[in-house]
Amino acid sequence: MQNFEFVRPTSVADAVAALKGDEAQPMSGGQTLMPTMKARLAAPEILVSLTAIDEMKGVRKDGDQIWIGGGTTHATVARETAESYPALSSLAGRIGDPSVRSRGTIGGSIANNDPSACYPAGALGSGATIVTDRREIAADDFFQGMFMSALDEGEIVTAVKFPVPQKAIYQKFIQPASRFPLTAVFVAHFGDTVRVAVTGASSDGVFRWTEAEEALQGNFSADAVSGLSVSAAMMISDLHGSGAYRAQLTKVMTQRAVAALA
Amino acid sequence: MPKDGGIGSSTKRREDVRFLSGTGRYTDDINLHGQLYAHFVRSDVAHGKINGINADAAMAMPGVVRVFTAKDFEGVGGVPCGWQITSIDGSPMQEPKHPVLAEGKVRHVGDPIAVVVAESLGQARDAADALEIDIEMLPAVMDMKEAIKDGAPKVHDDLSSNLCYDWGFVEDNKDAVAKAIADADHVTTLELVNNRLVANPMEPRVAVGDYDMANDEHTLYTTSQNPHVIRLLMGAFVLGIPEHKLRVVAPDVGGGFGAKIFHYAEEAFCTFAAKQLRRPVKWTSSRSEAFMSDAHGRDHVTKIELAMDKDNNFTAIRTETYANMGAYLSTFAPSVPTWLHGTLMAGNYKTPLIYVNVKAVFTNTVPVDAYRGAGRPEATFQLERVIDKAARERGVSPIELRRQNFITEFPYATPVAVEYDTGDYHATMDRVLEMADHAGFEARAEQSKKNGKLRGFGIAHYIEACGIAPSNLVGQLGARAGLYESATVRVNATGSISVMTGSHSHGQGHETSFAQVVSEMIGIDATQVDIVHGDTSKTPMGMGTYGSRSIAVGGSAMVRATEKIIAKAKKIAAHLMEASEGDIELKDGQFTVAGTDKSVAWGDVTLAAYVPHNYPLEDIEPGLEETAFYDPANFTYPSGGYACEVEVDPDTGKVDVLSFSAADDFGNVINPMIVEGQVHGGVAQGFGQAMMENCAYDADGQLISASYMDYAMPRATDLPMFKVDHSCQTPCTHNPLGVKGCGEAGAIGSPPAFVNAVIDALHRGGHKVEHINMPLTPDRVWTAIQNS
Ligand SMILES: Cc1cc2nc3c(=O)[nH]c(=O)nc-3n(C[C@H](O)[C@H](O)[C@H](O)COP(=O)(O)OP(=O)(O)OC[C@H]3O[C@@H](n4cnc5c(N)ncnc54)[C@H](O)[C@@H]3O)c2cc1C
């Protein structure tokens, strides 16, 4: 790791100001950024810790939505949404291991948009809104491909607002080494609409499987998906699974999600 | 009932007090005054020519003391290889130089090019970024079969080809085997890969070199399984330091699994640099470095043929194996695919004719050497897989086919040069089938089917050769070392005992189990005995711990030394009790005179030995300290039956291991709890190899499984509760404890059991899949189903 300056502002405004510095980068749980710095793949000159900003923490009701501060750890989300949004709670509760969950944050995960991360599927599948220090962005517009998002330089995810579906579930098939999703599917049923978000599979990062959504809207059963398939061409192919295998998992995980909810 | 702390009792491991309370002293805990830090700059390409290294900018960086390159090692020897293999044509293996730092060329990702030594590790790393290294990429030699074709690029330009050796065993049987195969009623053929693995001990490698100028003495603290071997190899072959000026200390070591047997360049570097710089030099491997610098394991590609007569009796076995050596020969690399593999190809079966051919090949990969089991897992895997396939082809039960061909009479001389002393394979087979409730399997399979899953039952039966080995034999086979073990038993004046052993404990619990043996022999409390290991200045010359040899060879040396102690103590006791030496008996720490009520306690005798006032000084010397070197008469041959039950999800290819049973014959057992722990660990590693672990390179020689993000290590939740049993005991006939060794069995016997179970499940589901190469990841299982 290279030397850096470390600042720990206590308000979003101060953090935004600190991020205007040269080669400044925000850090939340550091569960992604620290290993990257240790491997010398990132070398920010100023590290702006977001962990002392109270206004970015917590889980609360916001009308019929759930507001989760961007600095809220996975462990806290798992605990505090257990009743209000069990599918999200179960997603958060299965990220990494206890030490990762006690440090890693929803804001860090969403901002990072790892193509195999869990939260992007939860946010996209729920039709969540990403709140930043300067605007609100619909999840549909936020995730823009592997490690790419709508965030501008120095923009901070301060919260994520989740509409609560009638029923939802997260089906995670783990990559055996990292235990991140090899492919995971978040299915949310809102009564009139169904959303299906897939992570781990596509080389474009998290995506909505719209064909399945349409099929399930009319007939919310595993059978509705059996005739469908996703193209293997756009899928990630690596040591842990071919594109064809990930396409298969996308379908099977979707069917299992629906079967568990129906 | 064994007495607490005695032989046969599951005494808790005394070393765990320090391991579990964080008070162990590992090499990285050693920090010497004025210590410098070494950072190795390693190749990021698989194969390349070094056109130049410019260290000027790096040298000018803060804290930098010196930058070392190959130039600094002119006149220093290469890292030696400890075993020579002779090819079929009588020529010795090709043995390239293994320089401490790359000379002229880099030959694998991770090959060290330069070392920056600085006041702090951070400074060393920063300076490394300023090093200018000009490397011209060369085509990477990756595929073994391609590598030995004419015109293939060469890993070592000064060798005639990438073929290290071409070994035939037993060459005299070659034609007879060919004839038996041609004449056979049926031949089952299987091609398979034994996947490359990374050992991944919890503690990465560390070396601290120290030099005492006043006395011209070197000390190396290192994470080693055999400090004396390191002292010999590094002192005599690399740095030219005589033994009395070189001390090697391997303190607490956090797991080795083979990867810490070998002498590594980093050890030689730190020892060398400490003298050059007159300051201690420390290197601690990062986990990323470990992936590309610790010797890897396995990596064989094999074709095996099993010939049978019309009654399914095995008539011949022939194998052709390509064994990857990597870019250089690691310490014992050549022995693994040959003597540790070919000699085990008979397995538990009375096959009269066997021929093994092994081609060892250099590639642009990390050197490959022994990893838990070393050669024996490769042999067992081939045999136990091909037998399952043969049973399917012949329409017979794989269990019955094994039983029919089991060796039942001992001693048994195999056609591959070893003689099994004891064993009872039907007993372990019976026991494991009972433990696994084989009888109830069909009902469970039905239940799985109802849930949309495919259930399979896999069996494997293994033999291994442990306790390596008679020195004169291994000398004939090419070993450049003896393989005895040593022990010094030092009885103190008050009767407490320090045992200095040449074996090394890095997780095996020797401090507990060795003390059980010595204390039981004398009849004193185990707490009166301490085991000292891991320091060449304290222990007699010993060969260290690997090959499940410690209790069989090191334990035997300890028994011999203790016998000498008892013999001398009896003389002293006879004198004290004015009796004849022949009438003295030792029991429960009391010497008695047969037929009388005279007795004298152990402590009185030991005190007399050191305060020899009333003592037979004319007959014996004072003091009570004895050393023994034990050279075994034969290998030991543990064996066992392993059974595994799995459920395959046909939609995802995911395999759940539902149960695993192991019935091992380890001969006599000193501490059952420790033995069970060893089997648990071995089976977990066997599971890792079979189902998860895969050290993978791409075609350009980049290591694509270079971290835990991609190298899949098994976790407790991946495994079922193991059922382990060692009640089938046929004691070894040639060592004094009747022990066989248990450290590697789990890793040797289990991989084929896992794979056989999955293949069985697929067949039961109507998928005619004959083989899947390890690891059986969900992707591979699903793909095999699709292609069936
Ligand atoms: C062993 C292990 C296992 C894991 N398993 C999983 C898993 O199964 N599923 C999964 O989804 N993830 C997994 N993760 C990743 C984990 O969830 C991370 O915590 C998360 O991806 C990043 O969150 P963080 O708070 O640690 O972010 P950091 O590491 O602090 O930052 C990540 C990136 O986001 C930026 N950033 C941080 N916070 C903000 C913010 N509020 N606004 C804008 N930018 C920001 C940083 O500058 C950096 O570029 C695992 C991690 C580890 C170490």
Side-chain angles (χ1 to χ4, degrees):
Chain A
M1 197 180 299
Q2 270 141 343
N3 285 339
F4 51 83
E5 213 180 292
F6 187 70
V7 291
R8 202 156 175 255
T10 52
S11 72
V12 171
D14 287 351
V16 171
L19 283 169
K20 297 220 162 76
D22 253 6
E23 301 290 326
Q25 192 173 352
M27 180 164 88
S28 292
Q31 296 304 290
T32 297
L33 188 52
M34 293 286 284
T36 320
M37 288 170 65
K38 281 190 183 170
R40 299 195 159 217
L41 299 172
E45 279 173 20
I46 306 168
L47 206 53
V48 181
S49 169
L50 306 181
T51 56
I53 304 175
D54 286 343
E55 58 187 298
M56 275 177 61
K57 287 186 192 163
V59 177
R60 59 173 187 262
K61 270 221 132 354
D62 180 15
D64 50 9
Q65 302 209 334
I66 297 176
W67 180 98
I68 301 177
T72 313
T73 64
H74 309 328
T76 303
V77 174
R79 198 173 55 241
E80 298 198 5
T81 59
E83 274 165 29
S84 55
Y85 196 172
L88 190 67
S89 164
S90 125
L91 175 151
R94 283 183 285 160
I95 293 174
D97 50 48
S99 97
V100 170
R101 292 195 289 274
S102 302
R103 292 203 146 263
T105 65
I106 186 169
S109 176
I110 296 268
N112 196 46
N113 194 19
D114 185 307
S116 300
C118 298
Y119 267 126
L124 190 61
S126 305
T129 303
I130 318 300
V131 184
T132 78
D133 59 273
R134 59 200 74 162
R135 56 186 167 147
E136 298 202 347
I137 310 167
D140 282 320
D141 302 321
F142 184 86
F143 301 105
Q144 301 186 344
M146 262 199 201
F147 298 107
M148 310 251 282
S149 74
L151 289 178
D152 289 332
E153 194 70 20
E155 187 171 4
I156 298 174
V157 175
T158 55
V160 185
K161 291 194 291 189
F162 288 89
V164 184
Q166 284 177 0
K167 48 189 177 183
I169 194 166
Y170 182 58
Q171 284 281 347
K172 178 177 180 180
F173 192 90
I174 61 166
Q175 192 260 51
S178 70
R179 320 256 165 168
F180 274 66
L182 185 58
T183 290
V185 175
F186 195 95
V187 174
H189 194 313
F190 288 89
D192 45 350
T193 56
V194 175
R195 291 175 73 103
V196 178
V198 183
T199 186
S202 167
S203 44
D204 288 334
V206 67
F207 72 97
R208 277 174 69 188
W209 188 14
T210 45
E211 266 180 287
E213 291 179 350
E214 281 156 23
L216 290 166
Q217 235 129 263
N219 171 16
F220 196 76
S221 77
D223 286 345
V225 188
S226 22
L228 306 181
S229 62
V230 283
S231 158
M234 62 183 284
M235 295 288 156
I236 299 169
S237 186
D238 63 13
L239 192 58
H240 309 287
S242 62
Y245 182 61
R246 282 183 163 87
Q248 163 77 1
L249 282 184
T250 302
K251 178 166 158 180
V252 173
M253 291 298 112
T254 305
Q255 286 179 313
R256 288 187 183 173
V258 173
L261 290 176
Chain B
M1 259 303 269
K3 89 171 200 289
D4 188 38
I7 290 177
S9 88
S10 285
T11 307
K12 293 271 194 305
R13 302 193 339 158
R14 54 173 71 170
E15 45 272 82
D16 285 343
V17 175
R18 66 177 193 278
F19 296 157
L20 300 181
S21 63
T23 51
R25 185 166 177 262
Y26 296 88
T27 308
D28 194 50
D29 295 322
I30 294 168
N31 291 299
L32 303 177
H33 182 69
Q35 163 180 298
L36 297 168
Y37 294 82
H39 174 70
F40 281 74
V41 180
R42 297 176 184 278
S43 177
D44 55 8
V45 299
H47 195 192
K49 185 163 166 280
I50 305 173
N51 285 331
I53 302 172
N54 184 342
D56 293 349
M59 275 303 297
M61 297 279 287
V64 174
V65 174
R66 180 116 167 238
V67 178
F68 289 84
T69 63
K71 268 217 271 314
D72 298 287
F73 286 83
E74 281 166 11
V76 171
V79 179
C81 176
W83 203 301
Q84 183 189 294
I85 297 300
T86 304
S87 285
I88 296 169
D89 64 7
S91 61
M93 69 184 187
Q94 297 209 73
E95 194 172 350
K97 183 177 181 192
H98 184 180
V100 174
L101 296 176
E103 283 174 9
K105 257 173 103 171
V106 287
R107 295 187 175 85
H108 65 85
V109 168
D111 205 1
I113 304 168
V115 188
V116 182
V117 179
E119 299 288 343
S120 77
L121 185 57
Q123 288 171 330
R125 288 197 67 175
D126 284 345
D129 289 345
L131 209 59
E132 290 163 35
I133 302 174
D134 175 8
I135 291 189
E136 180 185 326
M137 272 190 42
L138 297 169
V141 179
M142 298 306 296
D143 182 87
M144 287 191 276
K145 291 180 185 172
E146 293 297 320
I148 56 173
K149 286 189 179 153
D150 283 346
K154 286 196 285 184
V155 178
H156 296 275
D157 301 325
D158 51 339
L159 302 187
S160 65
S161 71
N162 293 316
L163 184 68
C164 176
Y165 57 73
D166 184 2
W167 184 76
F169 182 67
V170 174
E171 197 57 26
D172 289 346
N173 289 345
K174 186 177 179 182
D175 294 340
V177 169
K179 183 165 186 315
I181 288 176
D183 295 347
D185 193 70
H186 182 81
V187 179
T188 298
T189 305
L190 185 61
E191 293 187 34
L192 44 82
V193 172
N194 205 285
N195 42 326
R196 181 184 277 244
L197 302 173
V198 182
N200 281 306
M202 199 183 288
E203 176 205 30
R205 290 190 296 119
V206 185
V208 186
D210 190 22
Y211 178 67
D212 169 359
M213 191 183 60
N215 297 302
D216 188 29
E217 279 174 6
H218 302 258
T219 304
L220 170 69
Y221 302 90
T222 182
T223 48
S224 175
Q225 301 177 213
N226 31 235
H228 271 288
V229 174
I230 303 303
R231 186 178 71 164
L232 182 65
L233 292 175
M234 185 177 78
F237 297 97
V238 189
L239 299 178
I241 307 169
E243 287 94 330
H244 67 300
K245 293 294 180 193
L246 176 57
R247 174 182 170 209
V248 177
V249 185
D252 283 333
V253 173
F257 311 116
K260 291 176 184 167
I261 298 171
F262 323 119
H263 174 41
Y264 287 94
E266 294 87 353
E267 296 171 320
F269 176 82
C270 290
T271 310
F272 177 82
K275 180 172 182 182
Q276 297 278 309
L277 302 173
R278 297 286 195 266
R279 286 174 71 180
V281 175
K282 180 177 203 171
W283 168 73
T284 301
S285 173
S286 69
R287 187 58 70 181
S288 313
E289 254 181 312
F291 272 101
M292 52 181 168
S293 69
D294 290 6
H296 292 170
R298 318 272 197 259
D299 204 348
H300 288 191
V301 175
T302 295
K303 176 180 167 189
I304 180 168
E305 295 160 283
L306 171 63
M308 285 172 281
D309 67 13
K310 64 176 186 358
D311 300 320
N312 296 328
N313 297 309
F314 300 164
T315 56
I317 290 168
R318 180 166 61 191
T319 71
E320 186 187 26
T321 288
Y322 291 80
N324 206 331
M325 294 287 103
Y328 304 99
L329 290 178
S330 175
T331 311
F332 290 117
S335 69
V336 175
T338 50
W339 300 109
L340 297 179
H341 160 248
T343 50
L344 271 300
M345 278 318 303
N348 302 109
Y349 312 100
K350 46 189 183 209
T351 313
L353 285 165
I354 297 175
Y355 180 70
V356 177
N357 173 238
V358 178
K359 295 177 180 68
V361 183
F362 294 110
T363 60
N364 289 119
T365 60
V366 170
V368 180
D369 206 327
Y371 166 71
R372 201 171 193 168
R376 292 151 290 167
E378 294 90 322
T380 305
F381 187 70
Q382 296 162 43
L383 209 49
E384 294 301 301
R385 284 289 302 124
V386 81
I387 292 173
D388 255 42
K389 186 173 182 219
R392 199 166 290 117
E393 288 174 356
R394 298 296 259 183
V396 298
S397 140
I399 296 166
E400 291 317 313
L401 183 60
R402 284 178 170 84
R403 284 191 188 275
Q404 171 185 345
N405 286 283
F406 271 163
I407 295 160
T408 51
E409 281 165 30
F410 297 89
Y412 178 85
T414 72
V416 277
V418 290
E419 185 176 282
Y420 303 161
D421 57 346
T422 58
D424 185 348
Y425 310 144
H426 284 292
T428 38
M429 180 66 98
D430 289 343
R431 183 76 191 99
V432 78
L433 292 176
E434 181 190 321
M435 289 162 71
D437 184 23
H438 182 243
F441 173 74
E442 294 297 340
R444 295 191 294 277
E446 270 312 303
Q447 196 52 50
S448 295
K449 211 173 190 173
K450 288 197 187 113
N451 301 331
K453 299 280 175 63
L454 313 174
R455 194 182 273 251
F457 188 89
I459 193 91
H461 211 279
Y462 75 89
I463 179 101
E464 60 155 326
C466 292
I468 184 168
S471 293
N472 54 5
L473 174 65
V474 296
Q476 287 165 26
L477 306 184
R480 292 162 170 165
L483 284 163
Y484 49 84
E485 199 45 86
S486 64
T488 294
V489 175
R490 176 179 298 160
V491 181
N492 303 308
T494 64
S496 67
I497 297 175
S498 300
V499 181
M500 276 63 74
T501 170
S503 296
H504 185 275
S505 188
H506 31 278
Q508 294 89 342
H510 295 172
E511 290 169 35
T512 303
S513 53
F514 283 19
Q516 288 177 256
V517 173
V518 173
S519 64
E520 169 105 17
M521 285 178 73
I522 296 169
I524 55 176
D525 200 82
T527 57
Q528 292 297 300
V529 182
D530 252 5
I531 306 298
V532 178
H533 61 97
D535 184 340
T536 58
S537 72
K538 293 183 181 161
T539 68
M541 172 77 177
M543 300 313 290
T545 287
Y546 40 82
S548 308
R549 67 194 300 273
S550 294
I551 198 68
V553 191
S556 297
M558 211 169 57
V559 169
R560 290 286 179 252
T562 307
E563 284 168 355
K564 291 189 197 177
I565 291 284
I566 292 172
K568 183 171 178 185
K570 281 186 175 172
K571 283 191 180 146
I572 303 168
H575 176 89
L576 293 177
M577 293 187 282
E578 295 173 340
S580 145
E581 192 191 321
D583 293 335
I584 305 294
E585 287 167 2
L586 171 62
K587 191 165 179 281
D588 295 335
Q590 292 288 325
F591 295 90
T592 52
V593 181
T596 74
D597 59 0
K598 282 191 192 169
S599 85
V600 50
W602 168 252
D604 297 329
V605 172
T606 62
L607 191 64
Y610 289 95
V611 187
H613 295 163
N614 174 19
Y615 195 85
L617 283 166
E618 57 287 356
D619 292 335
I620 47 175
E621 297 166 4
L624 202 48
E625 173 165 331
E626 297 288 349
T627 295
F629 284 73
Y630 179 84
D631 205 274
N634 190 354
F635 292 88
T636 63
Y637 299 96
S639 59
Y642 286 2
C644 167
E645 211 164 305
V646 299
E647 219 174 44
V648 179
D649 178 343
D651 294 329
T652 63
K654 184 167 187 308
V655 178
D656 282 327
V657 178
L658 303 177
S659 77
F660 192 92
S661 308
D664 293 289
D665 175 359
F666 295 135
N668 294 333
V669 163
I670 309 297
N671 182 319
M673 178 198 71
I674 288 179
V675 165
E676 284 163 22
Q678 289 290 309
V679 177
H680 282 202
V683 172
Q685 278 178 317
F687 170 85
Q689 164 156 40
M691 309 305 293
M692 302 182 78
E693 297 183 43
N694 187 21
C695 178
Y697 283 94
D698 68 11
D700 297 327
Q702 287 298 325
L703 183 59
I704 51 179
S705 57
S707 79
Y708 292 137
M709 290 299 280
D710 289 300
Y711 190 91
M713 292 290 281
R715 299 186 187 179
T717 51
D718 300 322
L719 297 159
M721 296 303 285
F722 302 133
K723 290 183 214 160
V724 302
D725 178 278
H726 46 76
S727 61
C728 302
Q729 299 183 346
T730 60
C732 169
T733 57
H734 56 80
N735 66 41
L737 289 165
V739 293
K740 294 182 173 179
C742 65
E744 296 160 296
I748 292 169
S750 69
F754 291 113
V755 177
N756 287 345
V758 174
I759 300 295
D760 181 58
L762 296 183
H763 275 269
R764 285 167 180 276
H767 308 291
K768 305 238 170 304
V769 174
E770 285 311 335
H771 183 66
I772 305 174
N773 277 325
M774 299 186 289
L776 273 57
T777 59
D779 172 45
R780 288 190 183 184
V781 174
W782 180 78
T783 304
I785 293 174
Q786 300 314 300
N787 296 339
S788 71

